[in-house]
Every structure is written in C-alpha cells, then in structure tokens.
Amino acid sequence: MTTAAFSSLPLLPELLQSVESLGYQQMTAIQQQSLPSMLAGKDVLAKAKTGSGKTAAFALALLSKIDPVSYHTQALVLCPTRELAEQVSKEIRALARFMANIKLLTLCGGTPIGHQINSLEQAPHIVVGTTGRVLDHLQRNTLALNKVKILVLDEADRMLDMGFEEDIHQIVKKTPNTRQSLLFSATYPDAIQAMSQRILQTPVVIEVETEHDSKHINQQFIELAYQEKPAAVIQLLAHYRPESTVIFCNTKADCNELTQQLRTKGFDVLTLHGDLEQREREQVLLRFANKSCPVLVATDVAARGLDIKDLSAVINFELAYDPEVHIHRIGRTGRAGNQGLAFSLCSPKEASRVVAIEDYQKIKVEWLDLSRLANTTTAPLKASMTTLCIEGGRKDKLRPTDILGALTGEGGLAGADVGKIDIFDIRTYVAIKNQFANQALKRLQAGQIKGRRFRASKVV
C-alpha cells in the first residue's frame, strides 16, 4: 500500500496543524486503513500492536467529534493500565494543542479520588481511564456518560486477560446506543470476537501487521538445558552489552528467580509481573524507559503496553506457547530502522514451539553456539541514569520546562545531564546522569519550582 498524507483526510485545520507540528509525515498502515472509516462515523474493530500509530489514529477520530462549546463528556477511552492511559492522554493532548478549550481528564487508580471528583465537576470533553476507576465514578454518580459520542477500547485483549470484561460491559451500558465504538486489540482471541459482537454495530474490520521490518531483527535461537538458561542470559548480556533489554519469562516465579540471579551477579535489573502495586509498576516502567535500568524481566501480560522506542534486545528465557505472542515479543526491537537483537533460549521440551514459530514465520530459524562467543568482559550491565521523584505534578501546573529550569541555571546542571521527564497528576519523575544525581536531588530539596518547595527523593 502506498502511503498517504494526513492532508488527504477531511480533518479540521487545527488537527492538520498539530500533525504537522509533531512531525508526522505520512500515515502509518493502521492510520491509513482506519481513519477514513472512523471519520465517517463507522464502528471499527482493528488488530494493531503497540508502536503501530493506533493511538494517533483514534485520537484524531475522537477529536474530530468534539464540540468544544458543549460541556459534557463526549469521548471515553478505556485502557487496561494507568501507564497506558497516561500515554494515551499525553498523545491526545498533543494533537489537541491548537484546538481551543478542549478539556481532557485521566481517571486512574493511584490518584486521590477527591481531586478527580473536583475535576469532573468541570465536565471534561474527553475522559481517558482504567475500567476500575471509571466504574467507581459511575457508581458515585460523579461521572456522566449519557452524552458520549465515541467510545474507544484500547488493548481490549489485555483488558480481557486482566478480567475486566464485566466491568467494561457495565460501563458501556451507561453510554448511548447511538455512540460510535472503536475496539483496538493486538490479538483476536475468541473473547474479542464475542465482545465486538456485544459492543460494535456492523464494524469495519482492519488487520495490520507490525510496522517494522523483520530484516532489522537479528533473531537467533540457542539450544540448552533449562538449568543452563540463567548463565546463558548473563553471557549474552555481558557479550552484546545492549543498552536496553527485555527478558520474557512465562511465569512470575521465573521472573523473580532470574531477577535475583542477575542481581547477585551485579546487574541493574527490574522485574515486571501482575502482582506489583500500581505505583511500583509505574516506577519500574519509567525507570526502564528513561535508562535508569538497562534490564527488565517481565511476563507477557505485564509487558503489554510497554512502548520503548529504541529497545536494543529481547531475550526469550522460555519460548511463548503461541507463535503470534513470540512475534509480538521480538517485534519490540529493531524499530525505526534500528538493528535489534532477539535471542530465544530453547530446552529440548520446547522443540515443538520452535517448529510452530518456523511455520508461522515461514523461515528456518538460525541457531547460535554460545561457546563461540568471545567474552571480552564479564562486567555486569549498569544503569547510566538515576530517577528522582518530585511530589508535585500536573495538578500543580508543573511543566517539563519548570523542572529543567530548576536543575539547570542556578541548579548547576547542564541540559545534557537531564534525561526524560515524566509528569503525572500528582508526581513527576526526572532522570539524571548518575554522577549528578546527588547534586540534582539536593538542588530540588533545597530550592523551589515555580515559587514552591516540593519534596523530592531517589527512586530505588
């Protein structure tokens, strides 16, 4: 399919201006295939993975429907996790920057509900949230969805994996039958088909494969006994020294055990699985994304929605049972023209899964002999950045430029010493080069931001 420009669509001039200012040149496949139907008001069932451009697609569609002078909630986006809801909100805000008076509110757990109730009294045009907190507000009668024009279910398969099906249907019942519904899912299990039949009306079905070219992924398989796998992971990390690596395990127990083994060897490593509290999960994802930790050990469900633009390597500690999940795992590396590494550790009992992957990808896999790797160093991988947490955020009108200003200038740091800044409703996280972390922390604790003093601490 030849790519098309956004200007070929019937978008508002303000949205075209936003698209241009964000540097979006041509539409991605999911945008090109879904936007005409969404802008025409049709229901859409779309199969698209993280990194495909799906968020910008439905964001443009819902912003096209908003009437700024009608002070009701007109669009609802449901997401499986808080961090995904924050990502979606950030992208919608960026695309709405040239539209006057558009109000957006993010409703997630982990944020005081009183603040949200006060904000809901202002009747936001767009609500982005997790099912639990949205349902909580509906039960308190603090949120009204009777004027919703467009409903988006993002990463619907993951919401089903997490057991949110009934919550979703309770929320949907509070919206008008005349609404437009958009359902996005990375996979099409039977449960998604059943959900689409209950929620969507004669949807346009769109299926888009991953946006990157597998030619950019150096995929290799390693045959070894199960008990040899931890040593193999250490050898691969020490030899290739990737800047950022996700290691996939099939169980929480394997995640915890491998994480402990890597820490014993001196690696900076974090783990991500379903038992983490929301704030712990938020901090793990932030620290990995902002280079405060080079290695993340995760289960598939916990890692869904993880959107790291330049992931250097993926290691499959154990092969996925489903070859489609395997493709989804390794597709997180080798993006945007970068070369990525994907290693799969296979014990003899996993041989049938290798065959399934070969059949699915229509390839013969390449096998790597670990004994041929020349280990020039055994030094463990260490983080280059440290994350600081400031107890203030969007509710306090903080912006990235405020944080940068507090740390540079009188703060004594150069702009290059400050990394990614993530601002949430009541917290802000900033990555600082390790050698300047203590200096930055003292500056934040002793100084002021926008004339106010905020508590600050290291995230460990």
Side-chain angles (χ1 to χ4, degrees):
M1 176 185 288
T2 56
T3 56
F6 286 93
S7 56
S8 65
L9 297 171
L11 289 170
L12 296 168
E14 298 93 330
L15 291 176
L16 288 172
Q17 188 180 356
S18 296
V19 165
E20 186 177 351
S21 72
L22 291 168
Y24 296 167
Q25 301 292 329
Q26 302 290 317
M27 286 188 273
T28 65
I30 186 62
Q31 291 162 359
Q32 193 167 343
Q33 292 184 44
S34 67
L35 268 166
S37 295
M38 293 193 293
L39 292 172
K42 297 175 182 176
D43 285 7
V44 167
L45 170 61
K47 179 179 178 181
K49 295 177 171 61
T50 301
S52 62
K54 62 183 171 68
T55 307
F58 66 69
L60 289 168
L62 68 85
L63 286 169
S64 299
K65 303 276 181 189
I66 300 300
D67 177 2
V69 299
S70 178
Y71 296 104
H72 301 81
T73 297
Q74 300 170 47
L76 172 66
V77 183
L78 291 179
C79 302
T81 63
R82 175 180 177 171
E83 58 273 7
L84 183 61
E86 291 282 359
Q87 279 178 30
V88 168
S89 297
K90 187 176 178 181
E91 189 145 0
I92 295 173
R93 283 192 177 98
L95 286 165
R97 66 178 68 184
F98 297 112
M99 295 178 70
N101 304 318
I102 296 292
K103 293 181 182 176
L104 181 149
L105 182 62
T106 311
L107 297 181
C108 302
T111 301
I113 200 161
H115 290 312
Q116 295 176 350
I117 291 171
N118 292 337
S119 297
L120 282 166
E121 289 175 359
Q122 308 304 312
H125 299 102
I126 304 162
V127 168
V128 180
T130 51
T131 55
R133 185 51 65 96
V134 169
L135 196 56
D136 194 350
H137 281 289
L138 287 173
Q139 290 165 345
R140 292 168 183 259
N141 293 318
T142 49
L143 171 65
L145 300 178
N146 59 313
K147 298 290 179 67
V148 163
K149 300 176 185 177
I150 185 165
L151 167 72
V152 181
L153 303 180
D154 194 16
E155 295 202 2
D157 50 348
R158 187 167 175 220
M159 288 196 272
L160 294 181
D161 287 342
M162 297 169 79
F164 296 158
E165 184 172 9
E166 271 317 301
D167 288 357
I168 291 168
H169 289 302
Q170 283 191 56
I171 294 166
V172 171
K173 284 177 188 173
K174 300 290 185 179
T175 63
N177 291 332
T178 53
R179 70 177 187 275
Q180 179 184 10
S181 302
L182 312 174
L183 190 155
F184 289 82
S185 180
T187 58
Y188 273 1
D190 291 344
I192 286 292
Q193 300 289 356
M195 173 181 274
S196 71
Q197 288 170 10
R198 288 180 68 179
I199 294 175
L200 307 181
Q201 296 182 33
T202 58
V204 176
V205 180
I206 295 162
E207 187 165 341
V208 173
E209 290 309 313
T210 48
E211 288 294 308
H212 63 275
D213 191 334
S214 60
K215 292 199 299 277
H216 293 298
I217 302 174
N218 178 9
Q219 179 179 198
Q220 301 195 66
F221 288 67
I222 300 152
E223 186 175 6
L224 70 182
Y226 183 82
Q227 61 269 25
E228 296 173 319
K229 289 188 177 188
V233 169
I234 290 166
Q235 188 178 354
L236 289 167
L237 292 174
H239 176 80
Y240 289 97
R241 308 198 69 74
E243 187 176 54
S244 55
T245 303
V246 174
I247 305 172
F248 283 103
C249 295
N250 288 352
T251 68
K252 179 190 72 176
D254 278 343
C255 279
N256 289 333
E257 188 175 339
L258 180 59
T259 299
Q260 193 54 48
Q261 288 173 310
L262 289 171
R263 283 181 181 155
T264 300
K265 294 293 184 181
F267 286 80
D268 282 348
V269 56
L270 293 169
T271 187
L272 190 66
H273 53 68
D275 284 0
L276 295 183
E277 294 292 328
Q278 182 58 47
R279 185 166 179 179
E280 290 178 294
R281 179 183 168 79
E282 176 185 282
Q283 292 184 350
V284 165
L285 287 166
L286 279 163
R287 289 173 66 193
F288 184 64
N290 70 14
K291 304 189 190 311
S292 294
C293 181
V295 182
L296 178 67
V297 182
T299 58
D300 289 303
V301 170
R304 289 284 295 280
L306 177 68
D307 189 15
I308 308 300
K309 297 289 188 288
D310 52 358
L311 187 59
S312 307
V314 169
I315 299 176
N316 294 307
F317 186 78
E318 187 177 8
L319 286 180
Y321 295 102
D322 182 343
E324 187 175 353
V325 173
H326 174 83
I327 302 305
H328 193 41
R329 285 179 178 183
I330 69 170
R332 297 168 185 276
T333 188
R335 288 185 175 174
N338 297 318
Q339 199 64 31
L341 297 169
F343 301 105
S344 297
L345 310 183
C346 317
S347 61
K349 72 173 185 179
E350 297 170 83
S352 62
R353 297 183 212 170
V354 177
V355 173
I357 289 166
E358 288 183 320
D359 290 345
Y360 189 84
Q361 286 196 275
K362 297 180 175 58
I363 59 165
K364 293 300 286 184
V365 303
E366 289 185 30
W367 294 91
L368 173 66
D369 183 353
L370 282 179
S371 67
R372 294 188 177 182
L373 291 185
N375 271 346
T376 54
T377 176
T378 56
L381 295 178
K382 293 290 188 180
S384 59
M385 311 288 277
T386 296
T387 299
L388 306 181
C389 176
I390 301 164
E391 299 295 333
R394 200 176 289 122
K395 295 282 186 186
D396 304 289
K397 310 294 185 189
L398 292 187
R399 298 170 303 168
T401 50
D402 301 322
I403 310 302
L404 199 59
L407 292 168
T408 57
E410 287 183 19
L413 272 69
D417 301 330
V418 182
K420 199 164 182 281
I421 299 171
D422 291 282
I423 300 183
F424 295 87
D425 281 349
I426 59 173
R427 276 181 219 101
T428 296
Y429 298 94
V430 54
I432 307 290
K433 283 185 179 176
N434 285 339
Q435 61 268 42
F436 301 110
N438 289 333
Q439 177 186 340
L441 182 59
K442 286 176 185 173
R443 172 72 186 107
L444 290 171
Q445 290 173 334
Q448 294 186 335
I449 306 172
K450 294 186 81 167
R452 291 179 56 191
R453 185 162 288 180
F454 294 90
R455 289 173 56 197
S457 59
K458 278 187 187 179
V459 179
V460 293

